[in-house]
Amino acid sequence: MKYALFSIGLLLFTGATQAASVNDYYKVENIAAPKGLDPQIGGLTFLPDGRLAACFHRGEVYTYEPKTKTWTLFADGLHEPLGIMAEDNHTLVVMQRPELTRLRDTDRDGTADHYETLSDRFGMTGNYHEFAFGPTRDKSGNYYVGLNLASSGASIRPEIRGEFRHYGITREQFYKNHRDGSGRMYSATPFRGWILKIAPDGKTTPFAPGFRSPNGVNFDSAGRLWVTDNQGDWLGTSKLFHVKEGNFYGHPASLVWTGQWEVGRNPLKVPPAEFDAQRHRAAVLFPQGSMANSPTQMLTDTTGGKFGPFSGQLLVGEMNRPRILRVLVDEVAGQTQGACLPFIDGGGLHRGMHRFAFAPDGSLWTGSTHLSWAGGSGLQRVTWTGKTPMELASMKITERGFDLTFTHPLGNVEATQFEFQRYYYKYHQSYGSPQLGKEAIDVTALEMGKNGKTVSLALDKLNPGYVYQLTLKNVTAKDKTPTLNTFVCYTLNTLTNGDDKAPHLVAASSGGGSTAKPVKAKPVKLTTSPQELDAAFAGRQGPTFDNRNGGFSGKGYADFVGKSGEHLEWIVTAHESATYQLAFRYALAGGNRPLALKVNGKVIQKSLPFNDTGDWTSWKDLITDAALQKGENQIRLESIGASGPNVDRLTLKRR
Amino acid sequence: MCGLLNSKMRSLALAFLTIALSLSAAPLKLTLSTVPGLQFDKPRFTAEPGQAIELTFKNPDDMAHNLVFTQPGQRMAVVQATIALPPDPERIIKHPAILTQTLTLKPNASAVLKFTAPKAKGIYPYVCTLPGHGLLMYGAMYVGEAMPDLAKDEHVPPMARAKGANSNLHAWSHRRPLMYRIFMPDASPAAIAVALPHGVSYCWDAGNCRLRYAWIGGFVDPMPVWRANGNGLAKIIGNKFWTATETAPLQVGRALQKVEFKGYRKIKGHPEFHYTLNGLDVYEHITALPDGTGIIRHFRIPKIVSPLRVTPGHGEIDAEMSNGVAVLSPDQAKTFTITHRHQHGK
């Protein structure tokens, strides 16, 4: 209570200098979508005449005239369009699941009448995860698109488009039990996991392999092609790649479609060190859980100052939080790397920040989506208030450490106000990676630049292959305005002398599988009946904790990774011995994945039948009984050869 | 305050209604119309036990229909019993489960049916018993019974249930023609579903540039694909009346028939598909037969110079057929049609 009063006082008396709300600098406004439309936005672009064009989840393309706030249907019937570009006021190019399509309004009635297939020269297995992203365009008019891998969350369909090729399992095995060898994400038809280049005449060239879920495909104003990718197998965390023709970017499933790949060789059986030697590392890593979980589109601020002080910088969207990030690019010894930090964080933004476009007036239009994962929907407009926030404007590596430049002259700062940590993400077949080799890094020297905006820091250790995470502690401008965003992650691939060796990123013995560290259960006292115990309370060895498939309760669910020998366990304290009803809430898209149930080390059910719930977002309870003893009890689910479902929670009810 | 008044007025009105109904004085007057695509405009209505009913049955459709009320659960029994009868518009059907019936109405005809609702509470089906119609064209008279949600009502056709479930799929109201590129059953992942006027729909496959099948009734339920991330197939609403054979429908020359999809133009909302067959431009534009009994595929191959082999697969083509194949001269092949008819459509 005392503290609350104190902080109100602080607000009243020091209001002016303490302003550090994002809305002091950027206003966020909701734009109403047509009534009855599912406003999940797949793509946004501005036409030369100042109208906005947007494509939506159910296949519609609308134009929007900001002056009159009028929506007009331009096209419909598209298959999950996830990107749009304007060629002129009457011509739009859309990437939809099956193809890149040019929508032409030839009779100028405001509606497309010619849907011209620019390219469908790639395969589709019908797997839901084979999203298609883009397009972006180079100066010669070539389009670039990104093709997702398929997910082992589902198999392939009886009829596919394009050649079938998989060196792990046969097509028949795909229909029997694809999980037994498909790989977590797979490329069973051309050119899943690739960026494709499509010439104006439709000529289609595979451009670069190694992607998992390349949602954002875009050129910056300097002509660099950037692609975002999502944490998962082979991606310890989400990434932003600077992409060049012919390079390999790390997820090996797509390599079977290169001309050089040896026929019959299964990428899942190749040691990661071999791929590590060939791959090009990401320019920027987005630490999972703190920076971004699902990065989306990259867009350069091309407003020339109309959108604030970050002209020329890269903006990147994020699905799981109401957040747009900034990327500070650093060219080092001919390599591109850099830092990322939150830019607009909250302030009324939707979640699911999927697509962006700058209007001629310099306002940023954002489109959200979710596709049943974490995210949002709808259109928003972000405008700069004209006031420059106190922010980190650039971060450049030096021989000794980093030069940080801010938007305003700094107040007095000391070395301890720049708190550095470093860690790395392992490159391996498993899903994600913990932050490894984590340690605090001391700032050994600090020097202010002549302009008062730049501070040079020397660091105790500076090595390639680490994320350097910086937290600014009460760093303010000269007028005491605090820094708005204080959490920064710099991806150090290359030192100024060109050294980029990072052998620690791939352990010699790693071939995937469940080598993850065990997580301890948080013991829970039974106080009510029924009592719900979220998966977050459970201990686990093997399963990961995830929140990407919606509909779960609490913070997320446990996701079994390997086939057997993994477990999930709750520790509960009962005040007397009694029989309890155990209800396990779970989701399973297909098949049966029985688990063994053990209570206090004793097998209660050899094979608890977790049958499919139809979808990863459909949750059901599986109910059984067990006797609990007075005092502490261990309730454990163990995988017994068929992996396991996603487990959301355990509900205990006295019988 | 306003809401309170309203609810009071509503309960007063309800009270009056109850009195009126319990006296069974007022006869029930209603109109039931046919809708192209083997549907009635009302999938269901309610009546009180013993209530006098004056029903005007209108047939604005392009084909003939009748209207037959049956005992609860007897719709299919009546439909099965009449299926073998030769068509006779003047016939009164004799079946113990029939409550009342109209004669067969020609297009644009109407009739008035006066009858008394049964005294026994129950759900009494009504149906058009013309051959092939009874599977889709029916509804339910609820006598003294409460109606469930339309989306869950097993006594109405699937397409009426789907309308109840997905009344608002877009920012515009349902229209035909309408097309979706969407995951479809029995097709490649690059499938296209098109709803034509007169209750006919088809699936054209951009993955192999072929018409795959056609159905009559409603369109599709797209929600299994749209409600999540695409891990589902759209559901066909209605009955398939034509399915393509394995054989390629068009062949030029002897070389391997290589097709490539080029897109489509919309002609009055109908797509005209464009693809190349061994490099030759082919255009296919599909319309509904004016009487709603099937589809016509209009082909154009403007630059063809060699003969074309056509395998229509249970289709009608204006050319001589031999072993299911018609060989068209280049002149004939420049424009020709194939018609697929709903076998019970006439």
Side-chain angles (χ1 to χ4, degrees), chain A residues 233-235 248-253 255 261 265-281 425-431 502-513 515:
Chain A
D233 51 337
W234 297 101
L235 283 104
F248 162 59
Y249 290 97
H251 196 298
L255 289 176
W261 191 259
R265 192 172 189 221
N266 182 359
L268 296 172
K269 305 279 186 203
V270 176
E274 187 179 322
F275 295 132
D276 190 47
Q278 295 165 16
R279 74 172 173 141
H280 287 254
R281 297 206 291 262
Y425 291 99
K426 197 167 157 188
Y427 176 63
H428 59 182
Q429 192 179 317
S430 307
Y431 193 97
H504 59 281
L505 294 178
V506 44
S509 62
S510 172
T515 50

Side-chain angles (χ1 to χ4, degrees), chain B residues 118-143:
Chain B
K119 293 226 166 64
K121 287 183 179 181
I123 301 162
Y124 294 83
Y126 50 87
V127 60
C128 169
T129 64
L130 267 71
H133 296 195
L135 289 173
L136 289 163
M137 194 170 181
Y138 60 91
M141 173 170 69
Y142 278 73
V143 178

Side-chain angles (χ1 to χ4, degrees), chain B residues 9-333:
Chain B
M9 283 163 72
R10 223 176 290 141
S11 55
L12 269 176
L14 265 177
F16 280 123
L17 200 66
T18 317
I19 293 162
L21 288 179
S22 63
L23 295 175
S24 285
L28 176 66
K29 281 192 176 182
L30 79 158
T31 303
L32 191 64
S33 292
T34 62
V35 176
L38 300 183
Q39 296 174 65
F40 291 111
D41 65 340
K42 293 180 186 64
R44 55 187 191 169
F45 65 90
T46 50
E48 286 303 307
Q51 189 178 14
I53 297 174
E54 190 181 318
L55 188 153
T56 306
F57 178 48
K58 290 184 175 168
N59 183 25
D61 198 4
D62 297 326
M63 56 178 113
H65 295 292
N66 70 359
L67 177 67
V68 176
F69 283 81
T70 79
Q71 293 290 353
Q74 296 300 304
R75 171 175 67 88
M76 281 315 291
V78 172
V79 168
Q80 294 297 347
T82 55
I83 215 156
L85 300 176
D88 177 358
E90 295 303 319
R91 190 202 320 277
I92 295 290
I93 307 161
K94 283 179 190 153
H95 192 284
I98 290 179
L99 286 182
T100 183
Q101 59 186 300
T102 66
L103 293 176
T104 299
L105 263 61
K106 286 179 184 160
N108 296 319
S110 70
V112 176
L113 206 56
K114 287 184 182 171
F115 64 107
T116 309
K119 293 226 166 64
K121 287 183 179 181
I123 301 162
Y124 294 83
Y126 50 87
V127 60
C128 169
T129 64
L130 267 71
H133 296 195
L135 289 173
L136 289 163
M137 194 170 181
Y138 60 91
M141 173 170 69
Y142 278 73
V143 178
E145 297 263 7
M147 285 179 175
D149 261 6
L150 183 59
K152 290 177 184 154
D153 192 345
E154 292 298 320
H155 297 280
V156 302
M159 59 196 111
R161 271 203 301 281
K163 268 184 196 161
N166 306 313
S167 52
N168 210 5
L169 293 173
H170 301 281
W172 67 78
S173 49
H174 185 74
R175 52 172 156 80
R176 282 170 180 259
L178 177 65
M179 67 180 285
Y180 293 151
R181 301 195 70 165
I182 196 163
F183 288 141
M184 291 289 288
D186 306 316
S188 90
I192 300 174
V194 181
L196 297 175
H198 308 297
V200 198
S201 302
Y202 67 84
C203 171
W204 203 90
D205 196 337
N208 43 36
C209 301
R210 282 184 203 182
L211 179 67
R212 298 299 297 264
Y213 49 86
W215 69 97
I216 190 159
F219 186 35
V220 293
D221 176 6
M223 292 318 288
V225 182
W226 288 351
R227 72 162 173 252
N229 47 33
N231 194 15
L233 296 171
K235 227 175 121 188
I236 293 168
I237 300 168
N239 288 1
K240 271 189 200 176
F241 67 85
W242 179 82
T243 302
T245 55
E246 294 276 317
T247 319
L250 308 183
Q251 291 184 60
V252 279
R254 287 224 175 83
L256 190 70
Q257 305 295 304
K258 190 170 174 278
V259 289
E260 196 161 350
F261 185 57
K262 295 290 180 189
Y264 50 91
R265 280 176 193 276
K266 284 204 174 170
I267 302 168
K268 290 180 184 161
H270 294 65
E272 182 189 57
F273 300 107
H274 175 201
Y275 61 96
T276 57
L277 173 65
N278 287 351
L280 196 62
D281 289 306
V282 178
Y283 300 88
E284 180 175 3
H285 176 218
I286 302 173
T287 55
L289 282 170
D291 63 358
T293 55
I295 54 171
I296 313 181
R297 306 163 67 183
H298 308 263
F299 287 91
R300 295 195 291 126
I301 312 178
K303 289 178 187 159
I304 192 162
V305 288
S306 50
L308 179 76
R309 286 165 60 84
V310 184
T311 311
H314 309 294
E316 299 157 25
I317 182 166
D318 188 14
E320 210 169 298
M321 300 279 288
S322 163
N323 293 326
V325 178
V327 179
L328 304 187
S329 71
D331 258 5
Q332 289 173 308

Side-chain angles (χ1 to χ4, degrees), chain A residues 34-37 57-58 60 62 73 76-79 96-99 101 104 106 113-117 120-121 124-126 128 131 153-154 157 159-161 371-373 589 615 617, chain B residues 168-172 175 178-184 186-191 205-208 212 223-233 260-267 274:
Chain A
K35 214 178 149 198
L37 175 75
H57 175 56
R58 294 182 182 176
E60 306 93 338
Y62 278 88
L73 185 68
D76 62 74
L78 304 180
H79 196 165
Q96 48 175 335
R97 260 188 198 273
E99 63 181 52
T101 310
R104 300 169 63 213
T106 62
D113 46 73
H114 187 192
Y115 293 57
E116 182 192 0
T117 304
D120 63 355
R121 293 173 185 179
M124 294 173 90
T125 67
Y128 72 93
F131 297 106
R157 296 230 155 102
E159 285 189 38
I160 68 172
R161 186 179 77 187
L371 302 178
S372 83
W373 284 291
D615 208 316
T617 52
Chain B
N168 210 5
L169 293 173
H170 301 281
W172 67 78
R175 52 172 156 80
L178 177 65
M179 67 180 285
Y180 293 151
R181 301 195 70 165
I182 196 163
F183 288 141
M184 291 289 288
D186 306 316
S188 90
D205 196 337
N208 43 36
R212 298 299 297 264
M223 292 318 288
V225 182
W226 288 351
R227 72 162 173 252
N229 47 33
N231 194 15
L233 296 171
E260 196 161 350
F261 185 57
K262 295 290 180 189
Y264 50 91
R265 280 176 193 276
K266 284 204 174 170
I267 302 168
H274 175 201

Side-chain angles (χ1 to χ4, degrees), chain A residues 281-510:
Chain A
R281 297 206 291 262
V284 176
L285 304 185
F286 302 107
Q288 176 88 2
S290 54
M291 193 62 77
N293 288 26
S294 279
T296 56
Q297 187 188 345
M298 184 292 299
L299 182 69
T300 318
D301 179 347
T302 49
T303 63
K306 286 182 192 167
F307 193 60
F310 306 116
S311 190
Q313 294 193 2
L314 313 184
L315 310 183
V316 174
E318 145 73 344
M319 290 297 291
N320 294 45
R321 292 175 190 73
R323 179 180 281 182
I324 300 170
L325 304 161
R326 256 190 315 129
V327 167
L328 311 176
V329 176
D330 194 9
E331 294 282 352
V332 186
Q335 298 299 311
T336 312
Q337 61 191 35
C340 56
L341 72 165
F343 167 41
I344 297 172
D345 204 17
L349 272 190
H350 289 152
R351 293 201 299 163
M353 284 283 117
H354 187 222
R355 293 291 182 253
F356 309 98
F358 278 110
D361 69 359
S363 59
L364 180 70
W365 293 62
T366 72
S368 287
T369 194
H370 59 78
L371 302 178
S372 83
W373 284 291
S377 65
L379 182 67
Q380 294 187 303
R381 177 175 180 249
V382 184
T383 42
W384 183 44
T385 62
K387 207 168 145 185
T388 298
M390 175 60 179
E391 287 277 52
L392 183 65
S394 92
M395 182 169 185
K396 304 228 171 255
I397 194 166
T398 63
E399 276 176 35
R400 300 190 308 158
F402 294 102
D403 279 358
L404 308 180
T405 304
F406 290 81
T407 51
H408 291 292
L410 285 153
N412 288 331
V413 284
E414 292 174 13
T416 52
Q417 287 175 262
F418 299 89
E419 213 174 83
F420 276 96
Q421 275 191 342
R422 74 174 191 186
Y423 45 81
Y424 66 91
Y425 291 99
K426 197 167 157 188
Y427 176 63
H428 59 182
Q429 192 179 317
S430 307
Y431 193 97
S433 161
Q435 296 177 352
L436 298 168
K438 201 166 183 169
E439 59 181 321
I441 302 292
D442 288 338
V443 175
T444 53
L446 178 153
E447 201 180 306
M448 284 299 299
K450 279 183 199 151
N451 60 9
K453 291 181 176 177
T454 302
V455 57
S456 296
L457 305 174
L459 264 58
D460 186 25
K461 290 179 184 172
L462 207 57
N463 303 98
Y466 286 90
V467 172
Y468 279 74
Q469 179 181 306
L470 164 65
T471 309
L472 302 169
K473 296 282 189 184
N474 304 312
V475 173
T476 68
K478 225 170 197 156
D479 69 357
K480 300 277 191 296
T481 305
T483 309
L484 189 57
N485 287 292
T486 56
F487 178 69
V488 188
C489 293
Y490 185 100
T491 299
L492 203 176
N493 287 322
T494 308
L495 296 171
T496 51
N497 64 9
D499 178 12
D500 62 357
K501 285 181 202 67
H504 59 281
L505 294 178
V506 44
S509 62
S510 172

